[in-house]
Amino acid sequence: MATAALSAAIGGLGCGPAAAGQFDTLLGIQINPSARDATEPLTTPLEYRSQNGQLNVTLEARETPVRLGKDLIHGATYNGVYAGPVLRLKPGDVLHLRLVNHLPQATNMHFHGMAVSPQGHGDNAMHMVGPGETWDYVIPIPRDHPPGVYWFHTHAHSFAERQVMGGLSGTLVVEGFQDQVPATKPLRERMFALKEFSPNPKGDLNRVPKPFNRDIKTINGQLMPRIDIQPGETQLWRFSDQTANTYFRLRLEGHAFTIVGRDAQPVVQPERVSELMFGPSQRVDVLVTAGPAGPYKLISEMTSTGPVGDIFPAQNMALMVSARDPAQPPPAPLGPIEVSRTATTPIPGGHIDAQRVIIFSEDPVTGLFFINHATFDHTRVDLKVPLGSVEEWTVRNASAELHTFHIHQVKFQVISLNGRPIPFDGLVDTVNVPIHGELKIRLAFTDPKIVGRFMYHCHILEHEDKGMMAQIEVYDPKVGPMPDGDMDMAGMDHGRGGAAPASPQTDRKSSHAPRS
């Protein structure tokens, strides 16, 4: 979706020209880093790269003490890395990922945005891995899979929010995006995994960030890193919002961003913007060209998700330092930004097999969130769609706060916003649904690899955990749908023992992956 349309969809997200220092102190505690704190260069998290068509990796999920600046927090990580590992594969590779669960409660994994099988040992977000258990995921990457930045994260219903906040996520890169946008090929690539943690004075996870709670936002697990660049140099910055709930409104002092990709697809028309806005689970690829020598702060401005939503304080995120490096040749000028014609194409709308309405709503009394007036039930399949169908869904927000729509296994095309047509600018897997507004999207359930059951939900994980999730089954019409009955989520009951809440309405202090 073009940025102008995105801004309209977000609606009240921005809170005016908030200064980065507006929330420097909450409860008398200094929380907002300054330029002088940017002493460490931005680092790339631990990387695992495929070789000879295979990537074999073991990720151990466990409770982990993590230092964020001066704070020691009680997080949960894969292989001890709060920023999360980076998995790099090529189309046609096979990912063999062994998940070892050392947590005191069940967990699992979802490969966000990937067009792969949801069944068996694939991208099966229904299967829960109990405490002390191991599960082997086998994810063949199709040879025609769109390249780009994806991510993986726990999808443990009713406590996904807390496990993701603790750190249980990582980045997955399918190589080849730079081939589709040739001007980016010679550029330095920077990965930005954005995370949040709201600690209480003991370092345990607080309630979901409100204005009176601290909210520590990090890049690659770092607080206020330094981004080195030469004057006139252009770099490819690849943002992934791996937070549970946080919206970002990023501004780089004295600079603009050129958007070249969203949700692992090139945009049709690159766009120059002064602010970069995106929400939970969305990814954005941008170009940044450094100005004259000097320091420039990357600022996350204050955001609000609506009258009954959350407020996220402003924070200085990083310091870009533009300085000539005498050991390097002067940077070459950026070439013309052109996108391969085959990189992204619209979903044909000549024949639509079904029209559906998906309504997001909530009850402020019970604290529950609904899709079509029902909370999530893993024994219920809400939609059954024959393989080969192309459908159009109207996704409506009947509440006074933002929601984000995400569906597993497929990308979709945004057709209109509040009845106004949206020009095609690429396919996405997550989109903001405006307050008391609606989007029309087009989805193609035509890939045989996606046959099976999977979810669609709000990707604000507080909302998902409290019910705003549903199931869809794509079935082979020659075989028919699977028999109704329990899904493979029995592990939800593993190891609760004080670790997981009895219900979504219980007290929301940390009691899952981050210790209570």
Side-chain angles (χ1 to χ4, degrees):
M1 187 187 303
T3 297
L6 179 66
S7 301
I10 291 175
L13 175 72
C15 296
Q22 182 170 352
F23 283 79
D24 273 1
T25 57
L26 298 177
L27 302 179
I29 303 171
Q30 183 73 20
I31 65 165
N32 196 7
S34 65
R36 64 178 175 271
D37 296 314
T39 58
E40 296 184 357
L42 178 70
T43 60
T44 299
L46 178 65
E47 284 195 345
Y48 300 91
R49 293 177 178 265
S50 64
Q51 293 184 346
N52 301 319
Q54 305 281 326
L55 176 54
N56 297 282
V57 62
T58 297
L59 298 185
E60 300 192 19
R62 65 173 78 239
E63 293 181 340
T64 311
V66 176
R67 185 161 295 282
L68 303 179
K70 298 178 181 178
D71 290 275
L72 185 66
I73 60 123
H74 299 145
T77 65
Y78 296 123
N79 293 3
V81 180
Y82 175 75
V86 176
L87 310 180
R88 287 186 176 269
L89 301 104
K90 300 180 179 67
D93 287 348
V94 179
L95 171 62
H96 298 269
L97 190 153
R98 171 164 290 182
L99 175 62
V100 183
N101 184 10
H102 299 289
L103 301 171
Q105 71 284 150
T107 189
N108 68 351
M109 193 171 285
H110 166 51
F111 300 87
H112 183 109
M114 298 293 289
V116 295
S117 173
Q119 299 192 66
H121 287 259
D123 181 26
N124 185 351
M126 306 290 184
H127 181 82
M128 300 300 298
V129 183
E133 294 182 353
T134 296
W135 185 257
D136 291 323
Y137 292 92
V138 181
I139 311 291
I141 311 296
R143 292 190 180 278
D144 60 351
H145 197 283
V149 176
Y150 299 85
W151 68 300
F152 56 92
H153 60 88
T154 178
H155 212 290
H157 180 60
S158 85
F159 45 97
E161 176 191 34
R162 299 174 197 178
Q163 289 194 349
V164 167
M165 274 190 165
L168 288 178
S169 71
T171 307
L172 192 156
V173 179
V174 177
E175 303 285 13
F177 177 89
Q178 287 92 328
D179 294 323
Q180 296 181 335
V181 188
T184 66
K185 291 185 73 171
L187 304 183
R188 181 171 184 180
E189 178 191 65
R190 299 274 199 177
M191 306 301 299
F192 291 74
L194 303 177
K195 298 197 175 187
E196 63 177 338
F197 195 92
S198 179
N200 66 16
K202 295 182 179 180
D204 297 319
L205 185 61
N206 223 324
R207 295 172 183 268
V208 168
K210 303 290 181 182
F212 48 83
N213 278 342
R214 298 180 60 202
D215 180 28
I216 304 175
K217 306 181 189 79
T218 56
I219 301 175
N220 297 349
Q222 296 176 272
L223 197 63
M224 202 61 183
R226 188 187 75 246
I227 305 169
D228 294 317
I229 192 169
Q230 295 198 72
E233 179 188 359
T234 301
Q235 295 183 355
L236 173 62
W237 292 9
R238 315 192 77 179
F239 292 95
S240 58
D241 186 343
Q242 298 183 21
T243 69
N245 307 306
T246 297
Y247 282 79
F248 285 92
R249 186 161 64 100
L250 296 180
R251 177 173 63 86
L252 180 61
E253 291 178 330
H255 290 74
F257 304 99
T258 300
I259 299 173
V260 293
R262 288 191 182 274
D263 286 0
Q265 288 231 321
V267 297
V268 173
Q269 296 293 332
E271 185 176 9
R272 186 177 172 86
V273 298
S274 59
E275 286 188 339
L276 194 60
M277 296 185 289
F278 52 99
S281 85
Q282 294 180 308
R283 288 91 62 216
V284 188
D285 299 292
V286 303
L287 303 182
V288 172
T289 302
Y296 305 90
K297 286 186 291 187
L298 178 65
I299 301 166
S300 176
E301 298 283 15
M302 186 177 68
T303 61
S304 168
T305 58
V308 300
D310 295 324
I311 295 177
F312 299 96
Q315 181 185 313
N316 296 324
M317 297 295 296
L319 187 70
M320 186 183 81
V321 178
S322 175
R324 177 79 177 94
D325 183 355
Q328 300 292 330
L334 179 68
I337 305 174
E338 298 176 349
V339 178
S340 169
R341 293 183 179 180
T342 60
T344 180
T345 56
I347 297 174
H351 176 77
I352 302 301
D353 295 284
Q355 303 265 2
R356 304 185 192 270
V357 176
I358 309 296
I359 302 174
F360 285 172
S361 62
E362 58 192 78
D363 184 345
V365 176
T366 63
L368 294 176
F369 293 78
F370 308 94
I371 294 182
N372 289 358
H373 313 292
T375 56
F376 177 66
D377 181 347
H378 69 271
T379 68
R380 184 187 70 239
V381 178
D382 300 270
L383 297 177
K384 297 185 179 183
V385 177
L387 180 66
S389 300
V390 175
E391 300 193 351
E392 288 187 350
W393 295 8
T394 298
V395 184
R396 187 170 297 150
N397 182 353
S399 75
E401 66 175 309
L402 284 172
H403 296 294
T404 61
F405 173 84
H406 168 60
I407 184 168
H408 295 198
Q409 318 313 130
V410 297
K411 291 185 183 294
F412 52 86
Q413 179 180 344
V414 178
I415 302 297
S416 66
L417 166 64
N418 293 332
R420 179 170 56 86
I422 298 295
F424 177 71
D425 197 37
L427 304 180
V428 294
D429 55 54
T430 309
V431 68
N432 295 290
V433 189
I435 294 170
H436 295 302
E438 66 180 34
L439 294 164
K440 179 174 283 189
I441 62 174
R442 185 176 298 155
L443 310 95
F445 301 101
T446 54
D447 186 347
K449 291 185 293 294
I450 70 169
V451 166
R453 291 174 177 168
F454 47 93
M455 286 100 148
Y456 57 97
H457 57 89
C458 177
H459 219 292
I460 297 175
L461 296 186
E462 175 195 3
H463 303 174
E464 175 197 309
D465 279 346
K466 291 186 171 184
M468 196 172 270
M469 184 160 68
Q471 285 191 80
I472 181 173
E473 179 182 343
V474 175
Y475 65 91
D476 184 341
K478 297 178 182 178
V479 178
M482 290 183 262
D484 290 334
D486 265 6
M487 305 299 102
D488 184 13
M489 296 189 77
M492 288 296 298
D493 299 322
H494 283 338
R496 285 191 169 234
S503 73
Q505 297 100 294
T506 56
D507 186 89
R508 300 177 55 215
K509 292 180 181 177
S510 170
S511 57
H512 307 310
R515 295 194 300 249
S516 59

